[in-house]
Amino acid sequence: MIKNTTERSFSAFFLVGIPGLEAFHYWLSIPVFLLYIMTLLGNALIILTVKLEPTLHQPMFYFLCMLGLNDVAIASVTAPKMLSIFWLDTHLIAFDECLAQMYFIHTFCIISSALLVSMAFDRYVAICHPLHYTTILTNPLVIRMGLAGAARAIVMVLPCPLLILRLPFCTKYIIKHAYCEHMAIVKLACANTLINRAYGICVALSVMILDLTLITISYIKILQAVFRLSSKDARSKALGTCAAHVSTILVSYTPALFSFLTHRIGKKVPPSIHIIFASIYLLVPPTVNPLIYGVKTKQIRDKVMELFCPNQKYGKH
Protein backbone atom coordinates (compact mmCIF):
# COMPACT_ATOMS: atom_id res chain seq x y z
CA MET A 1 0.00 0.00 0.00
CA ILE A 2 1.39 3.40 -0.98
CA LYS A 3 0.69 6.05 1.62
CA ASN A 4 1.31 9.79 1.43
CA THR A 5 -1.52 12.33 1.46
CA THR A 6 -3.86 9.52 0.38
CA GLU A 7 -3.96 5.75 0.17
CA ARG A 8 -4.02 3.68 -2.97
CA SER A 9 -2.98 0.15 -3.87
CA PHE A 10 -1.69 1.14 -7.32
CA SER A 11 0.55 3.77 -8.89
CA ALA A 12 -1.26 4.22 -12.20
CA PHE A 13 -4.74 4.45 -13.69
CA PHE A 14 -5.96 2.47 -16.68
CA LEU A 15 -7.61 4.66 -19.35
CA VAL A 16 -10.08 2.52 -21.29
CA GLY A 17 -10.44 4.88 -24.26
CA ILE A 18 -14.01 4.78 -25.53
CA PRO A 19 -15.92 1.99 -23.73
CA GLY A 20 -17.79 -0.33 -26.06
CA LEU A 21 -15.88 0.87 -29.10
CA GLU A 22 -12.47 -0.68 -28.33
CA ALA A 23 -12.57 -2.63 -31.60
CA PHE A 24 -12.82 0.67 -33.50
CA HIS A 25 -10.03 2.49 -31.67
CA TYR A 26 -7.71 2.34 -34.66
CA TRP A 27 -10.33 3.92 -36.93
CA LEU A 28 -11.28 6.50 -34.30
CA SER A 29 -7.62 7.51 -34.14
CA ILE A 30 -7.78 8.84 -37.71
CA PRO A 31 -10.14 11.78 -37.02
CA VAL A 32 -8.34 12.47 -33.72
CA PHE A 33 -4.98 12.63 -35.53
CA LEU A 34 -6.34 14.80 -38.34
CA LEU A 35 -8.04 17.19 -35.90
CA TYR A 36 -4.81 17.53 -33.91
CA ILE A 37 -2.67 18.23 -36.98
CA MET A 38 -5.24 20.75 -38.29
CA THR A 39 -5.29 22.44 -34.88
CA LEU A 40 -1.51 22.84 -34.89
CA LEU A 41 -1.31 24.06 -38.50
CA GLY A 42 -4.43 26.27 -38.45
CA ASN A 43 -3.62 28.10 -35.24
CA ALA A 44 0.05 28.46 -36.16
CA LEU A 45 -1.01 30.03 -39.47
CA ILE A 46 -3.36 32.49 -37.74
CA ILE A 47 -0.70 33.49 -35.18
CA LEU A 48 1.98 33.84 -37.86
CA THR A 49 -0.33 35.95 -40.05
CA VAL A 50 -1.13 38.32 -37.18
CA LYS A 51 2.55 38.56 -36.21
CA LEU A 52 3.73 39.36 -39.75
CA GLU A 53 0.98 41.82 -40.68
CA PRO A 54 1.14 45.19 -38.84
CA THR A 55 -2.45 46.09 -39.79
CA LEU A 56 -3.63 43.12 -37.70
CA HIS A 57 -1.93 44.38 -34.54
CA GLN A 58 -5.28 45.17 -32.92
CA PRO A 59 -6.95 43.93 -29.71
CA MET A 60 -9.35 41.61 -31.55
CA PHE A 61 -6.48 39.77 -33.23
CA TYR A 62 -4.39 39.72 -30.04
CA PHE A 63 -7.26 37.92 -28.31
CA LEU A 64 -7.51 35.60 -31.31
CA CYS A 65 -3.80 34.72 -30.95
CA MET A 66 -4.29 34.04 -27.23
CA LEU A 67 -7.21 31.78 -28.10
CA GLY A 68 -5.07 30.02 -30.72
CA LEU A 69 -2.26 29.35 -28.24
CA ASN A 70 -4.76 28.10 -25.68
CA ASP A 71 -6.43 25.86 -28.28
CA VAL A 72 -3.07 24.31 -29.16
CA ALA A 73 -2.45 23.71 -25.45
CA ILE A 74 -5.85 21.99 -24.96
CA ALA A 75 -5.32 19.71 -27.95
CA SER A 76 -1.71 18.93 -26.98
CA VAL A 77 -2.68 17.91 -23.45
CA THR A 78 -5.44 15.61 -24.75
CA ALA A 79 -4.75 14.21 -28.24
CA PRO A 80 -1.28 12.60 -27.81
CA LYS A 81 -2.46 10.37 -24.93
CA MET A 82 -5.63 9.45 -26.83
CA LEU A 83 -3.55 8.49 -29.86
CA SER A 84 -1.18 6.41 -27.73
CA ILE A 85 -4.22 4.50 -26.44
CA PHE A 86 -5.73 4.02 -29.90
CA TRP A 87 -2.47 3.17 -31.69
CA LEU A 88 -0.17 1.60 -29.11
CA ASP A 89 -2.60 0.29 -26.45
CA THR A 90 -0.68 2.25 -23.79
CA HIS A 91 -3.65 2.53 -21.45
CA LEU A 92 -1.70 3.07 -18.23
CA ILE A 93 -1.13 6.60 -16.98
CA ALA A 94 0.72 7.43 -13.76
CA PHE A 95 -1.41 8.76 -10.90
CA ASP A 96 0.37 12.13 -10.77
CA GLU A 97 0.44 12.39 -14.56
CA CYS A 98 -3.30 11.77 -14.64
CA LEU A 99 -3.93 14.55 -12.10
CA ALA A 100 -1.70 16.88 -14.11
CA GLN A 101 -3.57 16.13 -17.33
CA MET A 102 -6.91 16.70 -15.56
CA TYR A 103 -5.67 19.99 -14.10
CA PHE A 104 -4.38 21.39 -17.37
CA ILE A 105 -7.42 20.32 -19.39
CA HIS A 106 -9.87 22.05 -17.06
CA THR A 107 -7.60 25.09 -16.63
CA PHE A 108 -7.22 25.64 -20.37
CA CYS A 109 -10.97 25.18 -20.89
CA ILE A 110 -11.76 27.93 -18.36
CA ILE A 111 -9.12 30.18 -19.96
CA SER A 112 -10.81 29.59 -23.32
CA SER A 113 -14.15 30.67 -21.86
CA ALA A 114 -12.56 33.83 -20.41
CA LEU A 115 -11.07 34.67 -23.81
CA LEU A 116 -14.49 34.37 -25.45
CA VAL A 117 -15.79 36.89 -22.88
CA SER A 118 -12.87 39.21 -23.65
CA MET A 119 -13.59 38.95 -27.38
CA ALA A 120 -17.27 39.77 -26.75
CA PHE A 121 -16.18 42.84 -24.79
CA ASP A 122 -13.89 43.79 -27.69
CA ARG A 123 -16.83 43.64 -30.14
CA TYR A 124 -19.01 45.61 -27.68
CA VAL A 125 -16.48 48.45 -27.46
CA ALA A 126 -15.81 48.40 -31.24
CA ILE A 127 -19.50 48.71 -32.14
CA CYS A 128 -20.99 50.66 -29.22
CA HIS A 129 -18.05 53.01 -28.55
CA PRO A 130 -16.07 53.09 -31.83
CA LEU A 131 -14.56 56.53 -31.23
CA HIS A 132 -13.06 55.40 -27.92
CA TYR A 133 -12.01 51.91 -29.05
CA THR A 134 -8.25 52.57 -29.11
CA THR A 135 -8.29 54.51 -25.85
CA ILE A 136 -10.33 51.86 -23.97
CA LEU A 137 -8.77 48.67 -25.34
CA THR A 138 -5.12 49.56 -24.98
CA ASN A 139 -2.38 46.93 -25.19
CA PRO A 140 -1.81 46.96 -21.39
CA LEU A 141 -5.54 46.33 -20.82
CA VAL A 142 -5.54 43.46 -23.33
CA ILE A 143 -2.58 41.89 -21.48
CA ARG A 144 -4.28 42.37 -18.10
CA MET A 145 -7.49 40.78 -19.38
CA GLY A 146 -5.55 37.78 -20.67
CA LEU A 147 -3.64 37.40 -17.39
CA ALA A 148 -6.82 37.80 -15.33
CA GLY A 149 -8.51 35.00 -17.31
CA ALA A 150 -5.50 32.73 -16.80
CA ALA A 151 -5.24 33.57 -13.08
CA ARG A 152 -8.95 32.84 -12.55
CA ALA A 153 -8.60 29.42 -14.19
CA ILE A 154 -5.42 28.51 -12.28
CA VAL A 155 -6.93 29.42 -8.90
CA MET A 156 -10.35 27.84 -9.54
CA VAL A 157 -9.06 24.48 -10.79
CA LEU A 158 -6.19 24.08 -8.29
CA PRO A 159 -8.39 22.69 -5.46
CA CYS A 160 -9.59 19.84 -7.73
CA PRO A 161 -6.32 17.81 -7.72
CA LEU A 162 -5.62 18.84 -4.12
CA LEU A 163 -9.00 17.49 -2.99
CA ILE A 164 -8.43 14.29 -4.98
CA LEU A 165 -5.06 13.76 -3.23
CA ARG A 166 -6.86 13.44 0.12
CA LEU A 167 -9.08 10.61 -1.17
CA PRO A 168 -8.25 6.92 -0.70
CA PHE A 169 -8.31 4.72 -3.81
CA CYS A 170 -8.72 1.05 -2.89
CA THR A 171 -9.21 -1.31 -5.82
CA LYS A 172 -10.80 0.68 -8.64
CA TYR A 173 -8.21 2.05 -11.03
CA ILE A 174 -9.96 1.73 -14.41
CA ILE A 175 -11.09 5.11 -15.82
CA LYS A 176 -13.80 4.59 -18.41
CA HIS A 177 -12.71 7.59 -20.42
CA ALA A 178 -10.24 8.60 -23.12
CA TYR A 179 -8.49 11.11 -20.87
CA CYS A 180 -8.30 12.00 -17.17
CA GLU A 181 -11.46 13.93 -16.36
CA HIS A 182 -12.30 15.23 -12.87
CA MET A 183 -15.52 13.33 -12.18
CA ALA A 184 -14.22 10.15 -13.82
CA ILE A 185 -11.34 10.09 -11.31
CA VAL A 186 -13.46 11.09 -8.30
CA LYS A 187 -15.91 8.22 -8.94
CA LEU A 188 -13.10 5.69 -8.35
CA ALA A 189 -12.45 6.77 -4.76
CA CYS A 190 -13.56 4.49 -1.93
CA ALA A 191 -14.70 7.33 0.34
CA ASN A 192 -17.27 10.10 0.53
CA THR A 193 -16.67 12.40 -2.44
CA LEU A 194 -19.41 14.98 -1.74
CA ILE A 195 -16.91 17.84 -1.37
CA ASN A 196 -15.18 16.94 -4.63
CA ARG A 197 -18.43 16.63 -6.56
CA ALA A 198 -19.91 19.79 -5.07
CA TYR A 199 -16.79 21.83 -5.80
CA GLY A 200 -16.56 20.51 -9.38
CA ILE A 201 -20.19 21.40 -10.08
CA CYS A 202 -19.81 24.86 -8.47
CA VAL A 203 -16.76 25.66 -10.63
CA ALA A 204 -18.41 24.46 -13.84
CA LEU A 205 -21.70 26.27 -13.19
CA SER A 206 -20.12 29.51 -11.95
CA VAL A 207 -17.82 29.76 -14.97
CA MET A 208 -20.53 28.86 -17.47
CA ILE A 209 -23.24 31.07 -15.96
CA LEU A 210 -20.97 34.09 -15.40
CA ASP A 211 -19.27 33.94 -18.79
CA LEU A 212 -22.44 33.26 -20.79
CA THR A 213 -24.21 36.08 -18.92
CA LEU A 214 -21.42 38.55 -19.75
CA ILE A 215 -21.38 37.44 -23.39
CA THR A 216 -25.19 37.72 -23.60
CA ILE A 217 -25.17 41.22 -22.09
CA SER A 218 -22.46 42.30 -24.55
CA TYR A 219 -24.47 41.07 -27.52
CA ILE A 220 -27.72 42.60 -26.28
CA LYS A 221 -25.91 45.95 -26.15
CA ILE A 222 -24.38 45.28 -29.57
CA LEU A 223 -27.75 44.46 -31.17
CA GLN A 224 -29.32 47.55 -29.62
CA ALA A 225 -26.55 49.70 -31.11
CA VAL A 226 -26.70 47.96 -34.49
CA PHE A 227 -30.46 48.35 -34.95
CA ARG A 228 -30.17 52.05 -34.15
CA LEU A 229 -28.02 52.47 -37.26
CA SER A 230 -29.93 54.06 -40.13
CA SER A 231 -27.98 52.41 -42.96
CA LYS A 232 -28.69 48.79 -43.84
CA ASP A 233 -25.12 48.39 -45.11
CA ALA A 234 -23.77 49.71 -41.81
CA ARG A 235 -25.93 47.22 -39.89
CA SER A 236 -24.73 44.33 -42.08
CA LYS A 237 -21.10 45.35 -41.69
CA ALA A 238 -21.42 45.67 -37.91
CA LEU A 239 -23.07 42.27 -37.57
CA GLY A 240 -20.53 40.77 -39.95
CA THR A 241 -17.69 41.68 -37.61
CA CYS A 242 -19.40 39.60 -34.89
CA ALA A 243 -20.17 36.55 -37.06
CA ALA A 244 -16.88 34.76 -36.43
CA HIS A 245 -17.07 35.29 -32.68
CA VAL A 246 -20.69 34.10 -32.44
CA SER A 247 -19.78 30.99 -34.47
CA THR A 248 -16.87 30.28 -32.10
CA ILE A 249 -19.16 30.64 -29.07
CA LEU A 250 -21.65 28.15 -30.52
CA VAL A 251 -18.91 25.67 -31.46
CA SER A 252 -17.35 25.92 -27.99
CA TYR A 253 -20.34 25.96 -25.67
CA THR A 254 -22.75 23.56 -27.40
CA PRO A 255 -20.71 20.34 -26.88
CA ALA A 256 -19.55 21.68 -23.48
CA LEU A 257 -23.16 22.02 -22.26
CA PHE A 258 -24.10 18.60 -23.64
CA SER A 259 -21.07 16.95 -22.04
CA PHE A 260 -21.72 18.65 -18.68
CA LEU A 261 -25.41 17.72 -18.60
CA THR A 262 -25.00 14.10 -19.75
CA HIS A 263 -22.21 13.50 -17.22
CA ARG A 264 -24.43 14.59 -14.31
CA ILE A 265 -28.08 13.98 -15.25
CA GLY A 266 -27.96 11.87 -18.42
CA LYS A 267 -27.90 8.49 -16.71
CA LYS A 268 -29.36 6.71 -19.75
CA VAL A 269 -26.85 8.16 -22.22
CA PRO A 270 -24.35 5.42 -23.24
CA PRO A 271 -20.81 6.10 -21.92
CA SER A 272 -19.43 5.95 -25.46
CA ILE A 273 -21.71 8.83 -26.55
CA HIS A 274 -20.73 10.94 -23.55
CA ILE A 275 -17.01 10.37 -24.11
CA ILE A 276 -17.28 11.11 -27.84
CA PHE A 277 -18.99 14.44 -27.08
CA ALA A 278 -16.48 15.21 -24.33
CA SER A 279 -13.69 14.58 -26.86
CA ILE A 280 -15.46 16.71 -29.48
CA TYR A 281 -15.60 19.52 -26.91
CA LEU A 282 -11.81 19.39 -26.51
CA LEU A 283 -10.70 18.63 -30.07
CA VAL A 284 -13.18 20.22 -32.49
CA PRO A 285 -13.26 23.90 -31.35
CA PRO A 286 -9.43 24.24 -31.51
CA THR A 287 -9.60 22.92 -35.08
CA VAL A 288 -12.62 24.92 -36.20
CA ASN A 289 -11.75 28.30 -34.63
CA PRO A 290 -8.94 29.19 -37.08
CA LEU A 291 -11.13 28.04 -39.98
CA ILE A 292 -14.00 30.24 -38.78
CA TYR A 293 -11.81 33.30 -38.39
CA GLY A 294 -9.95 32.56 -41.59
CA VAL A 295 -13.18 32.42 -43.61
CA LYS A 296 -15.31 35.05 -41.86
CA THR A 297 -12.67 37.69 -41.04
CA LYS A 298 -11.77 39.53 -44.23
CA GLN A 299 -8.47 40.97 -42.93
CA ILE A 300 -7.14 37.53 -42.01
CA ARG A 301 -8.52 35.88 -45.13
CA ASP A 302 -6.83 38.43 -47.38
CA LYS A 303 -3.49 38.26 -45.55
CA VAL A 304 -3.44 34.47 -45.57
CA MET A 305 -4.12 34.47 -49.31
CA GLU A 306 -1.27 36.99 -49.79
CA LEU A 307 1.08 34.68 -47.86
CA PHE A 308 0.32 31.78 -50.20
CA CYS A 309 -0.18 33.83 -53.39
CA PRO A 310 2.13 36.85 -53.00
CA ASN A 311 1.65 37.94 -56.63
CA GLN A 312 -2.10 38.29 -56.21
CA LYS A 313 -3.79 41.29 -54.60
CA TYR A 314 -6.78 40.77 -52.37
CA GLY A 315 -9.27 43.10 -50.77
CA LYS A 316 -8.72 45.87 -53.26
CA HIS A 317 -12.12 45.77 -54.86
Side-chain angles (χ1 to χ4, degrees), residues 184-202:
I185 300 173
V186 169
K187 287 179 179 179
L188 300 181
C190 53
N192 190 313
T193 59
L194 177 62
I195 295 175
N196 300 74
R197 289 183 283 115
Y199 184 77
I201 291 173
C202 287

Side-chain angles (χ1 to χ4, degrees), residues 135-157:
T135 56
I136 295 175
L137 274 170
T138 59
N139 287 345
L141 178 61
V142 170
I143 294 171
R144 286 199 297 272
M145 290 172 70
L147 291 175
R152 179 187 72 157
I154 291 168
V155 171
M156 290 186 78
V157 180

Side-chain angles (χ1 to χ4, degrees), residues 75-209:
S76 297
V77 170
T78 311
K81 183 57 185 177
M82 291 178 68
L83 291 173
S84 72
I85 293 171
F86 295 161
W87 283 343
L88 307 174
D89 286 330
T90 54
H91 294 268
L92 290 179
I93 182 170
F95 186 88
D96 293 337
E97 185 184 343
C98 188
L99 291 188
Q101 186 191 46
M102 177 207 74
Y103 176 77
F104 285 119
I105 286 174
H106 293 303
T107 298
F108 290 137
C109 287
I110 294 177
I111 291 174
S112 179
S113 185
L115 289 171
L116 291 177
V117 174
S118 299
M119 294 167 84
F121 178 70
D122 169 86
R123 291 300 84 204
Y124 161 73
V125 175
I127 292 173
C128 299
H129 304 283
L131 298 179
H132 303 287
Y133 180 74
T134 55
T135 56
I136 295 175
L137 274 170
T138 59
N139 287 345
L141 178 61
V142 170
I143 294 171
R144 286 199 297 272
M145 290 172 70
L147 291 175
R152 179 187 72 157
I154 291 168
V155 171
M156 290 186 78
V157 180
L158 185 59
C160 291
L162 296 180
L163 288 171
I164 287 175
L165 284 172
R166 56 179 276 279
L167 294 173
F169 291 84
C170 303
T171 57
K172 295 180 180 179
Y173 65 97
I174 298 175
I175 300 177
K176 295 180 179 179
H177 215 298
Y179 56 87
C180 292
E181 193 268 342
H182 178 248
M183 284 303 299
I185 300 173
V186 169
K187 287 179 179 179
L188 300 181
C190 53
N192 190 313
T193 59
L194 177 62
I195 295 175
N196 300 74
R197 289 183 283 115
Y199 184 77
I201 291 173
C202 287
V203 169
L205 286 178
S206 62
V207 169
M208 205 169 288
I209 291 172

Side-chain angles (χ1 to χ4, degrees), residues 7-38:
E7 293 183 359
R8 59 185 186 273
S9 56
F10 49 86
S11 60
F13 287 115
F14 184 95
L15 284 169
V16 171
I18 303 181
L21 297 177
E22 289 88 349
F24 300 96
H25 274 178
Y26 183 80
W27 296 106
L28 290 170
S29 71
I30 296 173
V32 171
F33 176 74
L34 291 176
L35 287 171
Y36 184 47
I37 294 300
M38 289 173 65

Side-chain angles (χ1 to χ4, degrees), residues 37-105:
I37 294 300
M38 289 173 65
T39 294
L40 297 179
L41 295 177
N43 286 289
L45 182 60
I46 294 290
I47 294 168
L48 181 65
T49 301
V50 173
K51 178 179 172 59
L52 295 178
E53 181 50 51
T55 61
L56 298 180
H57 293 177
Q58 303 172 31
M60 180 175 77
F61 300 110
Y62 292 150
F63 286 129
L64 180 57
C65 287
M66 293 181 197
L67 184 65
L69 288 171
N70 194 69
D71 283 345
V72 168
I74 292 174
S76 297
V77 170
T78 311
K81 183 57 185 177
M82 291 178 68
L83 291 173
S84 72
I85 293 171
F86 295 161
W87 283 343
L88 307 174
D89 286 330
T90 54
H91 294 268
L92 290 179
I93 182 170
F95 186 88
D96 293 337
E97 185 184 343
C98 188
L99 291 188
Q101 186 191 46
M102 177 207 74
Y103 176 77
F104 285 119
I105 286 174

